[in-house]
Amino acid sequence: MKLDKELALINVDAASKEEVLELLGNKLLDKGFVKKGFVGSVLQREASYPTGLPTQPYGVAIPHTDGDMVNESKIAFASLKNPVRFTAMGQGDVEVEVKLVFMLALKNPADQLETLQKLVGLFQDPETVSQLAGVKDAEELNGLVASKE
Amino acid sequence: MKKLLIMCGTGIATSTVVKGKVEEWLKENNLSKEVKIYQSKVSDEINRIDEYDVVLSTTLVPDKIRDKVIDGVPLLTGIGIDTMYEKVLAEIKR
C-alpha cells in the first residue's frame, strides 16, 4: 500500500471522534476522492456500526461507509495527540481509547484488500501499533508498512 | 456443503478481511470443500439468517439473531482467535 502524502495527518489535536472523522473525511473530499455526503455517512455509520478495535497499546479505528459515496478508493490516516473514544466494533457498550485512525474510502470489496489485510496484520502486533503512533509523516508511515512485508 | 456467512455493516471492508482469513483457515484445516462462504451486510441478512449454518459478524447484530452469530472481531484484533475458531468448527461439524 501507499498512503498519499496529503492524506496522512500526524499528531492531530482532536477532542472527539466526530472531530477526527470530519477532519479526515474533509481531506478526502477536498481531493475529490469521495462524494459530498461521505462525511455525514461515515458519522452515521460509525454510530450504528462502530469501528474501534481494542488493540494494544493503543486502540485503532477504521471508519468507513458504503462504496457509493466513494469516487476513488483511498485510505486516510491520522495519529492523535491524545486518544479519543470510539465504540468497539461488534459491541454496543465497550469504549476504546483510539490513537490511530485509518479512514477507509473503498468503492468495492476487492479494492485494496491486500492493504486492508496487511493493516489488520499490523494492528495485531503491539510494537507495530506503537511505531505507527510515532511516525512523523506519510513517508515514514509507508516505510514502516513496507518493512513489515 | 455448509453455508458460512460473513457479514459486517457495509459488506465491503471488514467482512472482506475476515473472509480472506477464514478462507486460509479452511484450507489449512482441509475444510474448503465442505464450506461455501457468503459475504454480505447485516441489514440484508436479518430476515434470512436461518439459511446459513455458520454466521460470523464483525458488527453488533439485533437481539433476535444474536444467538446465531459468532463474533468475528478477533480476526481483526488478534485477540481470542482460537476460541472463535473452536466455535466455528463446532458449527461446521454440527
Side-chain angles (χ1 to χ4, degrees), chain A residues 45 89-90 92 109 113 117 120 124, chain B residues 9-10 16 58 60 73 75-76 78:
Chain A
R45 193 193 172 281
M89 190 181 286
L113 171 60
Q117 282 176 329
V120 167
Q124 300 185 1
Chain B
T10 56
T16 308
T58 57
L60 196 61
V73 174
L75 288 171
L76 304 176

Side-chain angles (χ1 to χ4, degrees), chain A residues 1-8 10 75 77 102 115 118-119 122 132 135-149:
Chain A
M1 95 163 184
K2 234 176 159 328
L3 223 96
D4 292 11
K5 201 172 155 195
E6 65 272 17
L7 295 179
I10 307 299
I75 295 176
F77 167 81
F102 288 86
T115 304
K118 195 161 177 196
L119 278 179
L122 298 182
L132 284 168
V135 296
K136 288 181 190 65
D137 51 33
E139 203 180 332
E140 204 179 312
L141 180 69
N142 286 327
L144 178 62
V145 175
S147 73
K148 305 286 177 182
E149 295 282 359

Side-chain angles (χ1 to χ4, degrees), chain A residues 112-124, chain B residues 13 16-24 75:
Chain A
Q112 310 218 13
L113 171 60
E114 266 177 54
T115 304
L116 274 181
Q117 282 176 329
K118 195 161 177 196
L119 278 179
V120 167
L122 298 182
F123 302 159
Q124 300 185 1
Chain B
T16 308
V17 176
V18 168
K19 186 176 172 223
K21 292 191 181 272
V22 172
E23 277 169 352
E24 271 171 43
L75 288 171

Side-chain angles (χ1 to χ4, degrees), chain A residues 5 12 14 17 49 73 84 100-101 112 147:
Chain A
K5 201 172 155 195
V12 172
K17 67 177 177 216
Y49 302 113
S73 293
V84 299
L100 298 170
V101 181
Q112 310 218 13
S147 73

Side-chain angles (χ1 to χ4, degrees), chain A:
Chain A
M1 95 163 184
K2 234 176 159 328
L3 223 96
D4 292 11
K5 201 172 155 195
E6 65 272 17
L7 295 179
L9 308 177
I10 307 299
N11 213 17
V12 172
D13 204 350
S16 67
K17 67 177 177 216
E18 287 79 10
E19 211 180 312
V20 183
L21 295 179
E22 277 171 27
L23 203 65
L24 283 172
N26 284 329
K27 277 276 166 200
L28 288 161
L29 184 64
D30 284 349
K31 301 286 166 193
F33 296 138
V34 298
K35 299 193 169 74
K36 217 168 171 212
F38 180 81
V39 177
S41 179
V42 169
L43 284 167
Q44 202 180 14
R45 193 193 172 281
E46 190 65 36
S48 330
Y49 302 113
T51 67
L53 296 173
T55 46
Q56 294 296 331
Y58 314 111
V60 175
I62 50 170
H64 54 278
T65 191
D66 295 310
D68 55 8
M69 286 287 166
V70 177
N71 294 324
E72 191 180 337
S73 293
K74 288 280 172 189
I75 295 176
F77 167 81
S79 62
L80 307 180
K81 200 168 180 176
N82 301 303
V84 299
R85 287 191 164 180
F86 277 74
T87 305
M89 190 181 286
Q91 335 226 336
D93 49 2
V94 180
E95 301 272 297
V96 185
E97 297 281 340
V98 165
K99 235 185 147 174
L100 298 170
V101 181
F102 288 86
M103 183 174 273
L104 316 173
L106 302 176
K107 240 174 132 64
N108 58 60
D111 285 354
Q112 310 218 13
L113 171 60
E114 266 177 54
T115 304
L116 274 181
Q117 282 176 329
K118 195 161 177 196
L119 278 179
V120 167
L122 298 182
F123 302 159
Q124 300 185 1
D125 174 36
E127 199 189 319
T128 309
V129 171
S130 207
Q131 287 171 328
L132 284 168
V135 296
K136 288 181 190 65
D137 51 33
E139 203 180 332
E140 204 179 312
L141 180 69
N142 286 327
L144 178 62
V145 175
S147 73
K148 305 286 177 182
E149 295 282 359

